[in-house]
Amino acid sequence: MEKQVYRVGVIGATGMVGQRFLTLLEKHPLFRVNALLASARSAGKRYQDAVGDKWAMQSPVPPCFADMNVLDAEADAESLAGKVDFVFCAVNMKKDDIKALEEKYAKLEIPVVSNNSAHRFTPDVPMVIPEINADHLTVIPAQRKRLGTKRGFIAVKSNCSLQSYVPLLHPLQPFGIKAAAVCTYQAISGAGKTFDTMPEILDNIIPYIGGEEEKSEKEPLKIWGSVQNGQIVPAQKPVVTAQCLRVPVTDGHTAAVFVSFERKPTKEEILAAWKNFAGEPQKLALPSAPAQFIEYAEEDNRPQAKLDRMRGNGMAVTAGRLREDNLFDYKFVGLSHNTLRGAAGGAVLLAELLAAKSYFD
């Protein structure tokens, strides 16, 4: 039987994450983009003209999008009702404005798959890493009841930095994680920058990324939480402490992780837990899912952003340097591609999961 193809809009299409969405959706087997939306200053222009010299992808603007007319994300929202099956949202606006915009689309019966942080702690909005907490999608009917919708809802992906360590901690939960400390070394594309637009990062490390440490410590607890009475109740443990630094790397967030357990596993048990871990995307063979979610690099000098960020087409998470620690039980290094697994790719995978579970129908 032929698979259903869903009509898709991309809100924030001219930004870096929006651009990444388009490169991923150009030939997607399930999703067909038929609406590009951005701010009022880009509205009415050809996409090629609207994005201009801001195009930051290595490949050129996909020809199928170059001549599309850009719509106003706010003023043209009503015109999309009935013309798209759902939208991706990746906008650069104030948090309250993003909340209002995403709820506007949801109430127009247009589901929203969001890359933004605005609704990550709305109790009935699932924040999903598809391999880890796909069960949180069951909160959507309660959200629809609150919004007064039949189809419309909001689902979000977690912060890009989490992808470099939460997927590596999650399979170790059966050993009883007591505490984890993480230091992330985050690529400039996470700030929507290139070396041309962020010259201050050259020969430099910036030891502060606004709001990032709070997200890195709080968001894992929601991901590890549970659905209760129409809301997601965050877990109370393990305690996670984080520091986040911006480093002169184009793509790829690296994490140095330290972890202690209630029952200390052997190194072999950790490696087996990583190797054997698979989630719903792998079981459902979703188009964007890596066959091997977690890969382990044996070499002492890996993972490296330049060499390992594209494992699994940029959707796998790479671990390395697993060893015992003098203060914690173990330490290791993790790596994920921040604009693929961490941003647009993670949102596309979430949308594939939502489609497989019939939430767009």
Side-chain angles (χ1 to χ4, degrees):
M1 189 172 74
E2 188 175 346
K3 291 183 178 180
Q4 180 176 349
V5 175
Y6 295 88
R7 303 166 300 168
V8 179
V10 177
I11 305 173
T14 58
M16 184 173 284
V17 176
Q19 295 171 28
R20 181 66 78 181
F21 271 125
L22 297 189
T23 65
L24 296 174
L25 296 171
E26 179 185 9
K27 298 178 181 178
H28 196 280
L30 301 179
F31 305 146
R32 185 184 73 245
V33 176
N34 65 353
L36 302 178
L37 303 103
S39 65
R41 64 179 176 273
S42 296
K45 298 179 182 177
R46 292 172 59 247
Y47 181 74
Q48 180 80 62
D49 297 331
V51 74
D53 59 6
K54 294 185 296 181
W55 183 259
M57 302 294 104
Q58 291 183 341
S59 56
V61 174
C64 57
F65 304 129
D67 291 326
M68 286 183 67
N69 188 54
V70 177
L71 302 176
D72 186 319
E74 297 185 82
D76 293 326
E78 287 82 358
S79 69
L80 257 65
K83 296 180 181 178
V84 295
D85 296 306
F86 72 95
V87 293
F88 291 109
C89 189
V91 294
N92 183 15
M93 300 165 62
K94 293 179 180 178
K95 186 169 288 189
D96 287 344
D97 293 337
I98 294 172
K99 280 187 174 182
L101 182 69
E102 292 181 344
E103 287 205 0
K104 179 178 183 178
Y105 276 83
K107 288 177 179 178
L108 288 168
E109 302 292 1
I110 302 171
V112 179
V113 180
S114 177
N115 188 73
N116 302 301
S117 65
H119 274 291
R120 286 183 190 156
F121 285 97
T122 302
D124 59 9
V125 171
M127 177 175 66
V128 178
I129 297 177
E131 283 86 353
I132 294 177
N133 61 328
D135 60 306
H136 283 196
L137 298 181
T138 58
V139 80
I140 287 175
Q143 185 196 145
R144 283 174 167 159
K145 184 176 181 181
R146 173 177 65 84
L147 295 174
T149 61
K150 294 181 178 179
R151 288 190 74 251
F153 64 88
I154 302 162
V156 303
K157 54 159 293 298
S158 62
N159 193 48
C160 56
S161 66
L162 269 64
Q163 320 302 320
S164 58
Y165 63 94
V166 169
L168 302 180
L169 291 172
H170 182 72
L172 309 182
Q173 291 275 34
F175 302 111
I177 297 175
K178 289 196 297 185
V182 59
C183 188
T184 59
Y185 304 87
Q186 300 185 202
I188 60 175
S189 56
K193 301 290 187 178
T194 64
F195 285 119
D196 288 338
T197 58
M198 196 177 186
E200 67 272 22
I201 198 67
L202 295 172
D203 190 32
N204 198 17
I205 290 174
I206 300 173
Y208 175 73
I209 305 172
E212 204 76 357
E213 287 160 1
E214 294 83 356
K215 296 173 188 175
S216 299
E217 294 172 352
K218 288 180 61 180
E219 289 187 18
L221 296 177
K222 183 173 181 180
I223 290 166
W224 288 324
S226 58
V227 178
Q228 300 177 27
N229 300 317
Q231 295 188 342
I232 298 165
V233 179
Q236 295 301 305
K237 56 181 183 179
V239 175
V240 178
T241 184
Q243 289 200 97
C244 301
L245 292 78
R246 188 74 70 194
V247 296
V249 172
T250 54
D251 295 302
H253 287 355
T254 299
V257 185
F258 303 79
V259 59
S260 293
F261 299 95
E262 300 286 350
R263 179 180 76 80
K264 183 179 178 180
T266 65
K267 182 176 179 180
E268 289 71 26
E269 285 178 313
I270 293 176
L271 292 174
W274 285 342
K275 182 178 180 180
N276 296 328
F277 182 75
E280 284 287 288
Q282 285 71 38
K283 295 171 186 175
L284 295 169
L286 299 179
S288 297
Q292 183 66 41
F293 179 38
I294 297 171
E295 299 191 20
Y296 187 78
E298 296 283 353
E299 301 91 335
D300 288 338
N301 64 346
R302 304 285 278 275
Q304 293 181 29
K306 200 169 187 177
L307 300 179
D308 297 303
R309 60 193 169 206
M310 287 306 298
R311 287 181 185 244
N313 293 319
M315 293 295 288
V317 179
T318 307
R321 301 206 68 214
L322 174 65
R323 59 224 191 272
E324 293 191 54
D325 184 64
N326 293 328
L327 182 61
F328 291 78
D329 288 330
Y330 283 96
K331 53 191 171 188
F332 57 84
V333 175
L335 170 73
S336 65
H337 195 302
N338 58 294
T339 68
L340 288 171
R341 166 58 71 167
V348 170
L349 183 61
L350 172 54
E352 293 169 359
L353 179 63
L354 288 161
K357 301 286 187 181
S358 301
Y359 283 97
F360 296 142
D361 298 339

